[in-house]
Amino acid sequence: MKTLIYWFRNDLRLADNPAFTQACLSADHLLPVYIHDSKEQETVYGFERQGPHRQAFLRASLDDLNSQLRAQGSDLLEFSGKPAEVLLRLLKDTSAQAIYCEQIEAPEEIEQVRMLQEQSVDVEEFWQSSMLDPQTFPFELEKMPDVFTAFRREVEKAQLKFAQPINAPKKIPALPATLPQGSILPSRAHSFLHPYLIGGASHAHAHLKQYFGRRLPDSYKETRNQLIGMDYSSKFSAWLVLGCISARDIAAQLHEYEHCYGANDGTYWLWFELLWRDYFRFIHFKYGQKLYRASGLTGVPVKPSYAPSFEQWRTGTTGTALVDAGMRELQQSGYLSNRMRQIVASYWIYDMKGDWRAGAAWFESQLIDYDVYSNQGNWLYIAGRGTDPRGGRPFNVAKQTQDHDPQEIYRKLWLSPE
Ligand SMILES: Cc1cc2nc3c(=O)[nH]c(=O)nc-3n(C[C@H](O)[C@H](O)[C@H](O)COP(=O)(O)OP(=O)(O)OC[C@H]3O[C@@H](n4cnc5c(N)ncnc54)[C@H](O)[C@@H]3O)c2cc1C
């Protein structure tokens, strides 16, 4: 009898989850687990790594996954601690022969798996979080083009689209006869200002259906730089980062949409942004740990930043109205438009001369769509420490204010006393 552990990481779904499907096909008994990593509790900057909005979105996503597993006679056991330690204990308790999981190509996540392998644990990892299948690339990932435009051109020249999504497994193997006790941290469910953004695969699919149903992709290119509301951009990100839905699923729907209504600038631009997401993933295979150095890929050292100015930036009290409005939206809602992310990040790095890593850490704590690859990649990009040949991307706040909030609507929305 083969017993396996399925370790859910950022793939909280049953459909289009090749790793989970493979585990189901290979096991007689399967233990699905999720581990709340104890490192999520603190940062070197003195705030929690996983703030209340992220916690709430994760909680809803896990509950949704659990109800899908239970509907098929299985269950999701949640634990907290260091993943390698928890998994070693579970392997012993259940006599499981191997762990199946998705592959995450970022330093801390690689280390979690390495610690297990060091103890001779059989860990079967599956790369499945990108839209494109890297095995179809006309280049090796380690030699991929550094610059996004060159990467995109190669992908388009080879006419690569997306890997076909697969269905959820028909049958989930029974749980092991003896179950370890789950122990989870008490969660602090918080409500946030976008009540529509609720975690879980069911909500993700409902959101996608209405987004395509209302033909919002058609206007995406014109609206994507706006600052207020649900419809100016897709809002797919939070579901994507926890894997409530796969990028392939979204790409497949986009493809079908183009088939029905015709391709246009909006549909192309959505694909283009999803390709950025892939690009920041794949660049990790090439540069790995180097992307996590203070100097990034440049070798230029970072000057220590002055702590009180970080507090002003973080709490939206810099005195620059557009920046303060953005930082308050982030803290109060757990979300920020792409345009505002660029503006506040640039302001922290170039106007306040702050350490980009502190800014990235604050985004990590607050964003419901925090994604290790995209957050690191975008911060490096703005700081001019990544692969962008143009160097850094400073934004002129006065011009941005004029272009994107000329009538002060956004600033008033977030800065007016309640
Ligand atoms: C400093 C900074 C930090 C960021 N941190 C994150 C992060 O932690 N997690 C995250 O998902 N995105 C991050 N982004 C990228 C982008 O801002 C968000 O993906 C986007 O705003 C999410 O809203 P949406 O789903 O409505 O995006 P849409 O505009 O509708 O785009 C569709 C999808 O494309 C992808 N995408 C769009 N823009 C980017 C981009 N610049 N880089 C990578 N993928 C992109 C996302 O998956 C997004 O859901 C960051 C951007 C900046 C400038």
Side-chain angles (χ1 to χ4, degrees):
M1 292 294 257
K2 192 164 182 180
T3 301
L4 296 176
I5 292 176
Y6 189 77
W7 176 22
F8 280 101
R9 300 175 95 189
N10 293 329
D11 57 333
L12 305 182
R13 63 180 184 276
L14 302 187
D16 195 32
N17 188 333
F20 183 69
T21 298
Q22 203 49 52
C24 289
L25 291 173
S26 311
D28 300 299
H29 291 286
L30 184 70
L31 182 70
V33 302
Y34 182 85
I35 302 163
H36 297 266
D37 193 340
S38 42
K39 81 168 165 44
E40 292 291 0
Q41 288 166 44
E42 81 237 30
T43 62
V44 291
Y45 306 100
F47 49 81
E48 53 194 349
R49 275 187 85 165
Q50 195 179 51
H53 304 299
R54 274 183 72 197
Q55 288 179 32
F57 199 87
L58 173 65
R59 183 68 264 144
S61 302
L62 290 169
D63 290 346
D64 190 274
L65 177 66
N66 199 1
S67 60
Q68 289 180 46
L69 287 165
R70 284 191 179 159
Q72 294 204 53
S74 186
D75 207 343
L76 180 70
L77 270 77
E78 293 181 44
F79 300 88
S80 53
K82 291 188 179 143
E85 285 173 13
V86 173
L87 287 163
L88 283 169
R89 185 164 51 81
L90 290 177
L91 284 163
K92 205 159 142 243
D93 289 355
T94 59
S95 310
Q97 287 94 337
I99 297 168
Y100 280 44
C101 62
E102 80 160 354
Q103 180 183 352
I104 302 180
E105 199 58 22
E108 288 179 356
E109 289 78 359
I110 292 173
E111 179 61 12
Q112 292 167 353
V113 171
R114 196 196 59 76
M115 283 168 77
L116 289 163
Q117 286 166 337
E118 214 174 62
Q119 301 294 319
S120 308
V121 175
D122 179 6
V123 185
E124 302 286 334
E125 289 185 282
F126 296 73
W127 178 258
Q128 56 178 17
S129 71
S130 54
M131 169 175 68
L132 299 175
D133 178 355
Q135 294 198 354
T136 61
F137 284 178
F139 45 79
E140 287 167 35
L141 276 184
E142 290 74 17
K143 295 186 187 145
M144 72 177 267
D146 270 353
V147 180
F148 172 74
T149 307
F151 166 75
R152 176 179 59 77
R153 286 204 183 116
E154 292 245 19
V155 163
E156 288 179 347
K157 199 168 80 195
Q159 299 195 334
L160 301 179
K161 274 289 176 202
F162 55 90
Q164 277 302 330
I166 60 168
N167 291 331
K170 287 202 174 69
K171 192 172 166 297
I172 301 178
L175 295 163
T178 46
L179 281 183
Q181 291 296 312
S183 64
I184 56 170
L185 298 166
S187 95
R188 293 193 285 122
H190 260 255
S191 62
F192 35 81
L193 284 180
H194 294 292
Y196 192 65
L197 295 175
I198 302 168
S202 321
H203 289 284
H205 285 278
H207 173 71
L208 228 72
K209 199 164 167 235
Q210 67 81 28
Y211 185 77
F212 284 104
R214 291 164 60 218
R215 299 202 51 183
L216 290 171
D218 294 352
S219 50
Y220 174 74
K221 188 170 181 227
E222 287 90 64
T223 58
R224 73 201 164 89
N225 277 321
Q226 292 176 7
L227 312 183
I228 303 172
M230 276 298 291
D231 293 344
Y232 64 83
S233 66
S234 75
K235 308 293 186 296
F236 294 156
S237 55
W239 288 293
L240 272 171
V241 305
L242 288 184
C244 302
I245 194 161
S246 75
R248 294 176 295 263
D249 246 330
I250 294 178
Q253 295 212 26
L254 189 59
H255 184 69
E256 205 180 300
Y257 182 89
E258 288 186 331
H259 187 70
C260 272
Y261 302 109
N264 55 43
D265 281 358
T267 58
Y268 174 77
W269 221 259
L270 256 183
W271 143 265
F272 178 97
E273 296 298 354
L274 288 167
L275 200 59
W276 264 111
R277 179 179 176 275
D278 268 14
Y279 165 80
F280 284 130
R281 287 175 146 61
F282 295 137
I283 208 78
H284 274 70
F285 285 89
K286 184 164 180 178
Y287 289 112
Q289 186 76 45
K290 289 184 186 153
L291 297 168
Y292 292 78
R293 297 187 304 206
S295 60
L297 301 179
T298 61
V300 180
V302 169
K303 293 195 191 103
S305 66
Y306 179 53
S309 71
F310 180 66
E311 271 316 285
Q312 287 166 1
W313 179 76
R314 187 179 77 82
T315 54
T317 51
T318 65
T320 300
L322 188 67
V323 172
D324 290 348
M327 296 309 287
R328 289 184 201 187
E329 179 185 7
L330 175 63
Q331 196 168 14
Q332 287 175 40
S333 74
Y335 181 82
L336 202 56
S337 63
N338 184 56
R339 174 60 44 174
M340 282 310 304
R341 291 182 204 204
Q342 292 174 320
I343 294 169
V344 300
S346 155
Y347 191 81
W348 170 239
I349 295 168
Y350 297 105
D351 296 73
M352 299 183 82
K353 312 277 179 236
D355 181 337
W356 69 274
R357 292 169 303 168
W362 181 244
F363 269 33
E364 171 176 352
S365 165
Q366 298 302 302
L367 283 173
I368 54 168
D369 65 13
Y370 164 69
D371 172 70
V372 62
Y373 309 104
S374 295
N375 199 48
Q376 199 74 10
N378 277 288
W379 274 94
L380 282 169
Y381 193 80
I382 296 197
R385 294 173 182 275
T387 51
D388 183 11
R390 274 174 51 183
R393 299 270 168 158
F395 284 67
N396 177 326
V397 182
K399 181 173 184 315
Q400 294 295 320
T401 307
Q402 192 48 43
D403 289 352
H404 299 288
D405 191 30
Q407 283 156 359
E408 227 187 319
I409 299 173
Y410 178 76
R411 280 165 289 165
K412 281 193 180 142
L413 177 66
W414 292 103
L415 296 179
S416 310
E418 281 161 34

